[in-house]
Amino acid sequence: MAVTDEAIVKIKDMIVSGALRPGDRLPKESELAADLGLSRNSLREAVRALSLIRILDVRQGDGTYVTSLDPQLLLEALSFVVDFHRDDTVLEFLAVRRILEPAATAMAALRISEQQLDALTAQLDKLGEDPSVEDLVACDLEFHRGIVQSSGNSVLCSLLDGLSGPTTRARIWRGLTQEDAVGRTLREHRAIVAALRDRDAEAARSWATVHIASVEQWLRSTL
């Protein structure tokens, strides 16, 4: 194991074991290096790597702290990696969305408030019946984010937020080229909201599956 990797593992073990908790300040570099049996250079590299993935927060002139370790913060690294996707993997991202998002939508049916439902409906009403493709896709992202947030699962929300980016261009492409793609998307959105209002988790799950699968099916037929 490379010395930097060894240093990363040792710091990770301290956090996992509870020796370091969210918000804790790490000991001074010289003390921590001695305690862990590491060189200061390898420790420094490990801290730099862990700060990039939001495990540690290096504050100039103040020290190094363990972050909140909140799922949304930690999964920012996923969004960064996802940005490097190749066009030929978009179908794989859609397939993952088709597995996760209907489950989140079903969970939301049991948790979403009337105020949140009204906000979703108002969002669709504001969009109108003949929006531009760009406006529709922007609304689509916010629409699904709002529903997933209502599932009450922050990990699921962060995962889906990170996975939505690669499919944006495919959704715009579909809206520009497939007949009635805009109208179909709007109808599916309203069907999802209706199922959520009925507190019908299985109907909400089914409509979310249909909604994502229709994009996936169209993309498969065009590639």
Side-chain angles (χ1 to χ4, degrees):
M1 183 185 295
V3 289
T4 301
D5 292 340
E6 181 185 0
I8 289 171
V9 169
K10 288 186 174 181
I11 296 173
K12 172 191 168 186
D13 288 344
M14 291 181 70
I15 295 172
V16 171
S17 69
L20 285 172
R21 297 181 179 278
D24 282 356
R25 180 177 176 176
L26 270 64
K28 291 182 180 179
E29 184 182 272
S30 57
E31 295 175 5
L32 186 57
D35 288 345
L36 296 180
L38 301 167
S39 72
R40 292 178 70 171
N41 281 340
S42 62
L43 177 60
R44 201 172 293 130
E45 290 299 319
V47 167
R48 185 176 293 117
L50 290 169
S51 67
L52 287 173
I53 57 173
R54 311 305 295 275
I55 302 294
L56 298 178
D57 179 19
V58 180
R59 304 175 189 174
Q60 293 299 326
D62 187 21
T64 299
Y65 293 78
V66 180
T67 67
S68 66
L69 302 180
D70 182 79
Q72 188 169 0
L73 183 69
L74 298 180
L75 287 168
E76 283 181 8
L78 172 65
S79 298
F80 180 80
V81 172
V82 163
D83 285 340
F84 290 94
H85 78 283
R86 304 186 313 271
D87 284 349
D88 59 357
T89 63
V90 173
L91 277 170
E92 295 178 11
F93 282 103
L94 280 168
V96 175
R97 273 193 69 204
R98 180 164 44 82
I99 294 168
L100 297 179
E101 195 159 311
T105 306
M107 292 166 65
L110 307 177
R111 293 172 173 264
I112 193 167
S113 69
E114 290 297 323
Q115 290 82 359
Q116 289 169 314
L117 285 166
D118 289 343
L120 290 174
T121 300
Q123 187 182 45
L124 294 176
D125 290 343
K126 182 179 178 181
L127 197 59
E129 297 302 319
D130 190 26
S132 69
V133 173
E134 291 78 6
D135 286 347
L136 176 63
V137 171
C139 176
D140 187 74
L141 290 170
E142 288 304 314
F143 178 83
H144 291 290
R145 182 180 290 118
I147 292 172
V148 174
Q149 286 175 341
S150 299
S151 72
N153 188 311
S154 60
V155 174
L156 192 53
C157 184
S158 297
L159 277 172
L160 284 166
D161 212 30
L163 291 170
S164 65
T167 64
T168 300
R169 185 161 59 177
R171 282 179 277 180
I172 292 174
W173 182 18
R174 178 197 183 204
L176 292 171
T177 60
Q178 186 183 37
E179 184 178 356
D180 196 36
V182 171
R184 180 173 180 175
T185 298
L186 291 171
R187 289 191 294 273
E188 289 168 354
H189 278 185
R190 292 196 179 278
I192 291 170
V193 172
L196 292 173
R197 281 199 184 277
D198 290 341
R199 307 295 174 181
D200 189 333
E202 288 311 307
R205 185 197 306 272
S206 297
W207 275 113
T209 302
V210 166
H211 183 57
I212 298 167
S214 65
V215 180
E216 189 180 358
Q217 183 181 40
W218 167 81
L219 187 57
R220 287 185 189 280
S221 69
T222 61
L223 292 178

